[in-house]
Amino acid sequence: KLVYGGGLGSVMFVLMVFMAGMTTGGGCLSGAQALFTADFYKKYVNKTATEEQQMRFGRKIVFAVSALVIVVAILLKGKSLLMMDIFSGILFAAPASSLIAGMYCKKTSPAVAVASIVCGLAAGLIAFFVIPDDDINWFVGNILALLVPAVIVAIGSLFSKYTYDFEQLKNYQPDHTVK
């Protein structure tokens, strides 16, 4: 049995993996809080919300997302890291492909972008679960999750009358002051 770095190397490796997981989890929780607080709560639930009200809502979102992650982690007991990585590839390919295609097609409407993500995710998951061959279902699922959104964005942009104004990004100012 060959161990690189001995006992200290093993401990350092475990700490590195733990820290990578903690920073990823913290970033995801922070992103979920920002997304739901600024983009959902302030725009759709309470347009006159104070920062204190937004923070309270954000804390509830962090609690809910954390509880969901705990439940999913318990349900994943016994699953291999490779299977989780493959499944994550399908989940992340659809929005990544849509984002990249949307950056090149200025006529991509938000509705087309969301539809492309939903269709790509559905195509990838269906392929993953329906194809009985475990040696290829993951590959087809990842390819479909990557390509279906790009094709939908390209075709949807050809027929769209929507034009995104990139100038609004240059002149963006938040609608509130940060204290």
Side-chain angles (χ1 to χ4, degrees):
K1 187 172 179 180
L2 181 62
V3 177
Y4 295 104
L8 179 62
S10 298
V11 169
M12 289 174 59
F13 180 76
V14 167
L15 283 174
M16 181 187 69
V17 170
F18 176 74
M19 293 300 177
M22 293 301 291
T23 57
T24 301
C28 289
L29 287 175
S30 177
Q33 180 184 15
L35 176 73
F36 281 102
T37 301
D39 293 337
F40 177 73
Y41 184 72
K42 180 78 172 171
K43 287 183 182 176
Y44 301 111
V45 177
N46 186 356
K47 294 181 186 209
T48 60
T50 64
E51 282 193 37
E52 184 179 330
Q53 290 171 319
Q54 288 177 318
M55 287 303 295
R56 264 189 271 131
F57 182 76
R59 286 186 190 112
K60 292 175 186 172
I61 289 298
V62 167
F63 181 78
V65 170
S66 299
L68 178 66
V69 167
I70 290 169
V71 169
V72 169
I74 291 169
L75 293 175
L76 289 175
K77 183 179 179 185
K79 300 292 182 192
S80 73
L81 287 176
L82 177 61
M83 186 55 59
M84 286 187 259
D85 191 37
I86 290 168
F87 196 74
S88 295
I90 294 172
L91 296 178
F92 295 125
S97 177
S98 179
L99 172 72
I100 292 168
M103 288 173 20
Y104 288 102
C105 301
K106 103 183 220 184
K107 293 184 70 162
T108 304
S109 71
V112 169
V114 170
S116 74
I117 293 170
V118 170
C119 292
L121 186 60
L125 291 175
I126 288 170
F128 182 76
F129 289 116
V130 170
I131 296 174
D133 187 356
D134 287 340
D135 291 332
I136 195 145
N137 66 353
W138 62 271
F139 179 75
V140 173
N142 276 283
I143 292 297
L144 287 176
L146 185 66
L147 294 180
V148 167
V151 169
I152 291 174
V153 165
I155 292 171
S157 296
L158 290 174
F159 299 104
S160 176
K161 294 185 186 332
Y162 178 88
T163 302
Y164 186 75
D165 179 19
F166 286 97
E167 290 298 317
Q168 71 182 4
L169 293 176
K170 291 180 185 176
N171 304 322
Y172 174 75
Q173 292 293 321
D175 62 353
H176 68 286
T177 58
V178 179
K179 296 177 184 177

